[in-house]
Amino acid sequence: MILIDKPFVSDFLVKTIKENNFPVIATTVVKSMISDDSLNWISEKEAIELFKKDPNTPLYSNSENAISWIEQNLSFSKLPSQIQLFKNKILFRELIKDAFPNYFFKGVKLADLPKLNAKQLKFPLIIKPAVGFFSLAVHKVDSVEEWNTILNNIEQEIEAFKGMYPKEVVNVSDFIIEEYIEGEEYAIDCYFNTKGKPKVLNVMHHIFSSAKDVSDRVYMTSKEIIEKNKSEIEDFLQIVGQKAQLKNFPMHVEIRIDKTGKINPIEINPLRFGGWCTTGDISYFAYDFNSYEQFLYEKSPNWNEILKTRKDKKYNLIVLDNNSGIKESNIKAFNYNLLLKDFKKPLNLRKVDFRKYAVFGFLFTETSKGNEKELNTILSSNLKKYITIKE
């Protein structure tokens, strides 16, 4: 069963739903987003009754905006509590703290942040909303001297993105302060099957332009990334699944792997793959399988066969967030054609209403070995070359 909500549903996901006749819950929101009457629509009442008959019914949602529907209508099931275990980063840290006993974290009310004695904190550290999305108000703080400046920045950012997402997606009343782990960051799409066994559907290397960068600009996946990390990631996921008692449960996981190979969890996003139908869709462009079908039919990718033909290729998700410093209200247009010319093999471009969501869109590309310069360029770009300002 599929639960669609704002801000975005891809044509690829809609096509998947249609071709497989997957049931879609006919909420008012989804009906305003998809006008195709030929889909397998089921009423909200029918969906609720199905869950009462079988609480383990597989459910996929494209967006965390749908969390409120689940909390309001499926409170009799374990889904709301499981979602909160992961959506609230403080609860998630509490869940797994005995498996990571030396990891420092601290939950703090937004109003209490200025009262903290920063000299008692261990730097460098990461500060972010306990319930957040899309690197909003996420900062790396390297020293005591930076602390007050970062708090001021957070206050300004909160004002800027107020109203973009519901409180179930971004809630800035509580923040988490946690230690910064050196290492490489990865994003994983996976699900737990009916027996509670994790199935990895994608592993993407989240690369940054600098040590201070916490943005979501570039994610890449490849044969080498999958082969190097899949086994250890499955072991880590098994720990999480056992602690939360997960079955028929999809998720998008973010981790950091240090130089010793140890996995350190960052966060887990429940009941979906990457937001805005990003990482869930790129598995098709990169590896020619459908992640949504894999979960709902309880299948597993045949990685040995798939990766035989993917040598020396990288498949990339580029998030075109507005880091230009130019207010959206002052932007006349974004030149997508010029953007496409800067990449040797674009696979798919998705434009977004940047005035509403402060992101210009998402670009999927394929990069051959030796052509990584295009990725490094967009990684450090402020995107101003593509922006036309209002006169």
Side-chain angles (χ1 to χ4, degrees):
M1 192 180 306
I2 294 181
L3 177 60
I4 299 291
D5 211 314
K6 291 182 178 179
F8 176 81
V9 58
S10 69
D11 292 341
F12 179 77
L13 178 52
V14 174
K15 182 171 178 281
T16 298
I17 293 168
K18 190 167 186 173
E19 288 179 350
N20 293 276
N21 204 36
F22 289 140
V24 187
I25 303 172
T27 65
T28 304
V29 173
V30 69
K31 281 292 192 174
S32 71
M33 297 172 70
I34 305 173
S35 57
D36 190 340
D37 291 334
S38 69
L39 297 188
N40 183 12
W41 296 105
I42 63 169
S43 71
E44 295 177 69
K45 185 178 179 181
E46 285 178 287
I48 294 165
E49 288 303 314
L50 280 171
F51 270 95
K52 285 181 178 177
K53 290 178 182 176
D54 182 6
N56 290 316
T57 298
L59 176 67
Y60 180 84
S61 177
N62 68 312
S63 169
E64 291 186 5
N65 288 38
I67 291 174
S68 59
W69 188 93
I70 294 169
E71 290 179 341
Q72 291 168 19
N73 295 285
L74 303 181
S75 58
F76 56 86
S77 75
K78 60 188 176 184
L79 277 180
S81 61
Q82 287 178 326
I83 288 169
Q84 281 308 309
L85 270 180
F86 299 119
K87 188 57 192 165
N88 187 308
K89 296 175 180 65
I90 299 170
L91 293 179
F92 172 55
R93 288 290 172 199
E94 292 288 347
L95 176 72
I96 61 169
K97 67 180 182 181
D98 62 336
F100 299 88
N102 299 319
Y103 189 85
F104 166 77
F105 69 95
K106 180 182 181 70
V108 185
K109 294 284 184 185
L110 173 63
D112 293 334
L113 284 175
K115 303 173 189 175
L116 282 179
N117 184 350
K119 292 180 181 179
Q120 294 179 353
L121 298 174
K122 182 182 176 182
F123 295 90
L125 57 79
I126 297 289
I127 180 170
K128 56 189 175 183
V131 178
F133 179 62
F134 232 28
S135 295
L136 297 173
V138 177
H139 289 271
K140 182 189 177 195
V141 190
D142 286 317
S143 65
V144 174
E145 290 73 25
E146 283 188 335
W147 179 253
N148 288 329
T149 301
I150 296 296
L151 292 190
N152 289 332
N153 290 344
I154 288 173
E155 191 175 325
Q156 293 171 20
E157 288 169 23
I158 290 172
E159 282 300 315
F161 66 70
K162 264 184 181 176
M164 280 188 190
Y165 300 96
K167 63 180 176 59
E168 290 85 5
V169 179
V170 181
N171 187 340
V172 294
S173 60
D174 291 280
F175 273 69
I176 184 169
I177 297 169
E178 53 189 359
E179 70 177 87
Y180 176 78
I181 300 293
E182 296 286 348
E184 298 299 313
E185 189 168 310
Y186 294 88
I188 302 128
D189 283 344
C190 63
Y191 77 92
F192 291 81
N193 66 13
T194 53
K195 296 180 180 178
K197 185 176 180 180
K199 301 291 182 179
V200 172
L201 302 176
N202 205 350
V203 180
M204 304 197 74
H205 187 189
H206 182 188
I207 60 175
F208 299 95
S209 61
S210 69
K212 290 292 285 183
D213 185 10
V214 293
S215 71
D216 291 319
R217 177 57 58 82
V218 176
Y219 294 81
M220 65 173 67
T221 184
S222 68
K223 167 185 168 72
E224 291 74 23
I225 290 169
I226 300 288
E227 289 179 339
K228 181 181 178 182
N229 300 291
K230 178 176 169 290
S231 179
E232 289 77 7
I233 286 170
E234 287 173 337
D235 292 341
F236 160 73
L237 291 173
Q238 193 69 56
I239 294 171
V240 174
Q242 288 173 350
K243 287 185 173 297
Q245 298 181 326
L246 301 179
K247 291 181 180 179
N248 289 334
F249 200 94
M251 56 170 54
H252 180 74
V253 182
E254 296 176 16
I255 61 171
R256 194 174 281 266
I257 302 178
D258 66 22
K259 59 185 177 183
T260 69
K262 181 183 177 185
I263 290 178
N264 294 278
I266 298 174
E267 64 184 54
I268 291 178
N269 301 285
L271 285 192
R272 66 168 174 85
F273 303 138
W276 290 78
C277 297
T278 50
T279 61
D281 287 13
I282 203 174
S283 59
Y284 179 78
F285 298 126
Y287 303 122
D288 202 30
F289 68 80
N290 188 313
S291 288
Y292 310 109
E293 292 175 356
Q294 296 285 311
F295 165 56
L296 290 166
Y297 288 132
E298 201 172 338
K299 298 194 294 185
S300 301
N302 186 340
W303 286 113
N304 290 334
E305 285 299 313
I306 290 168
L307 297 178
K308 283 179 181 179
T309 59
R310 266 67 177 187
K311 188 178 179 182
D312 296 334
K313 292 181 180 179
K314 294 178 180 177
Y315 301 91
N316 317 294
L317 161 63
I318 298 164
V319 181
L320 301 165
D321 57 308
N322 183 13
N323 66 334
S324 66
I326 304 169
K327 289 184 177 180
E328 287 77 23
S329 58
N330 293 329
I331 297 175
K332 181 180 179 181
F334 187 89
N335 193 331
Y336 296 97
N337 290 331
L338 181 60
L339 171 79
L340 292 174
K341 289 177 182 177
D342 286 339
F343 293 89
K344 192 170 184 179
K345 192 171 181 180
L347 300 174
N348 185 270
L349 171 66
R350 294 172 181 175
K351 301 175 185 179
V352 170
D353 182 351
F354 58 85
R355 293 182 182 87
K356 190 173 183 181
Y357 294 108
V359 61
F360 298 106
F362 302 88
L363 178 64
F364 300 89
T365 71
E366 179 186 309
T367 303
S368 301
K369 188 175 182 180
N371 198 38
E372 292 86 357
K373 184 181 177 182
E374 62 184 22
L375 293 177
N376 295 329
T377 300
I378 196 69
L379 179 62
S380 56
S381 173
N382 59 16
L383 304 184
K384 287 183 178 179
K385 68 177 287 189
Y386 310 112
I387 294 171
T388 303
I389 302 172
K390 291 179 180 176
E391 296 179 359

